[in-house]
Amino acid sequence: KAGVTQTPRYLIKTRGQQVTLSCSPISGHRSVSWYQQTPGQGLQFLFEYFSETQRNKGNFPGRFSGRQFSNSRSEMNVSTLELGDSALYLCASSKGAFSDTQYFGPGTRLTVL
Amino acid sequence: DAKTTQPTSMDCAEGRAANLPCNHSTISGNEYVYWYRQIHSQGPQYIIHGLKNNETNEMASLIITEDRKSSTLILPHATLRDTAVYYCIVRVLYRGDTGTASKLTFGTGTRLQVTL
């Protein structure tokens, strides 16, 4: 069974631009969660989607948004990029129940110049 | 959120068992203990999880104390490829915007270095 895939793997943007990252969950998984990992803050939860609805969100500004499609694929968008948005963005999928295990993708490395 | 405390770093000789401790003294009765590991710049890899009983799978064993305030992850025969940061996480259930929700809250983890 294929794992969680994320595209692109690496991305370089400049301040003020916007970016869209994509995540394809494991087949049959309906929940997708997004995390940001930086050296200073570690791994932080961004938001979770289940059946095309945002079920949960972390403490991030409104510049960070996401959505989920009917096939469970998810995208996250960051508008008006700041230098501090440089990070590894991780996507994790699970079947959907709260007790289900989350499986992570390889991440997208975003660098903002 | 139920917080976890782990040593910052540990060393282990290849072929020996690696025992990684974790304290989670504020854990609630319905909260699971999860272990993930992350090899440099890769996505976290799920290892094992448990609620009350000890668990074992092909990767590791998880020993949870009877009072559930601490646990130990055991890698029975560590190899160089087990060098990674190991995260002990309590999966928290709480009231979110749209009802009951859960999330994984990662701490700083234990950096395990396996050496020859």
Side-chain angles (χ1 to χ4, degrees):
Chain A
K1 187 186 264 190
V4 177
T5 58
Q6 293 186 245
T7 57
R9 293 292 312 279
Y10 301 91
L11 204 51
I12 299 175
K13 292 285 188 179
T14 57
R15 279 182 299 175
Q17 287 186 310
Q18 74 163 15
V19 67
T20 299
L21 312 181
S22 180
C23 172
S24 292
I26 293 171
S27 177
H29 285 193
R30 296 170 63 193
S31 170
V32 173
S33 297
W34 288 90
Y35 295 80
Q36 180 197 64
Q37 186 173 29
T38 60
Q41 299 296 320
L43 261 156
Q44 292 187 291
F45 172 77
L46 279 158
F47 29 66
E48 179 197 8
Y49 286 87
F50 176 77
S51 291
E52 303 179 64
T53 301
Q54 187 179 86
R55 187 163 69 172
N56 197 359
K57 65 180 179 180
N59 189 26
F60 277 81
R63 299 185 298 107
F64 292 82
S65 63
R67 60 178 176 169
Q68 186 180 34
F69 302 95
S70 59
N71 61 358
S72 296
R73 191 177 69 84
S74 177
E75 291 181 345
M76 69 161 282
N77 185 77
V78 187
S79 62
T80 319
L81 283 167
E82 301 176 0
L83 295 179
D85 297 332
S86 295
L88 180 66
Y89 290 88
L90 293 157
C91 164
S93 79
S94 70
K95 290 181 181 178
F98 295 119
S99 60
D100 289 332
T101 298
Q102 293 186 13
Y103 295 92
F104 285 80
T108 294
R109 171 74 61 185
L110 172 66
T111 301
V112 182
L113 302 175
Chain B
D1 292 356
K3 295 196 181 299
T4 61
T5 305
Q6 299 177 253
T8 303
S9 63
M10 293 182 64
D11 292 329
C12 179
E14 189 177 36
R16 305 296 294 269
N19 297 285
L20 290 87
C22 179
N23 287 321
H24 31 78
S25 58
T26 61
I27 193 170
S28 297
N30 62 349
E31 294 174 343
Y32 285 78
V33 178
Y34 277 77
W35 283 83
Y36 284 80
R37 72 182 182 183
Q38 187 174 27
I39 298 170
H40 183 63
S41 293
Q42 298 181 20
Q45 178 188 22
Y46 165 76
I47 302 173
I48 199 167
H49 73 281
L51 183 63
K52 294 181 182 178
N53 300 319
N54 298 337
E55 303 288 344
T56 296
N57 63 21
E58 65 279 4
M59 287 184 67
S61 294
L62 174 61
I63 308 298
I64 302 175
T65 58
E66 193 170 342
D67 63 8
R68 301 188 69 239
K69 292 185 177 181
S70 66
S71 60
T72 301
L73 177 74
I74 301 172
L75 306 178
H77 304 288
T79 70
L80 297 177
R81 289 190 293 180
D82 292 322
T83 293
V85 177
Y86 287 76
Y87 295 99
C88 169
I89 302 155
V90 172
R91 183 162 192 167
V92 176
L93 292 178
Y94 68 100
R95 175 66 60 181
D97 295 337
T98 57
T100 302
S102 75
K103 63 179 181 179
L104 299 176
T105 302
F106 286 79
T108 54
T110 295
R111 184 171 298 277
L112 176 68
Q113 180 68 53
V114 181
T115 57
L116 291 171

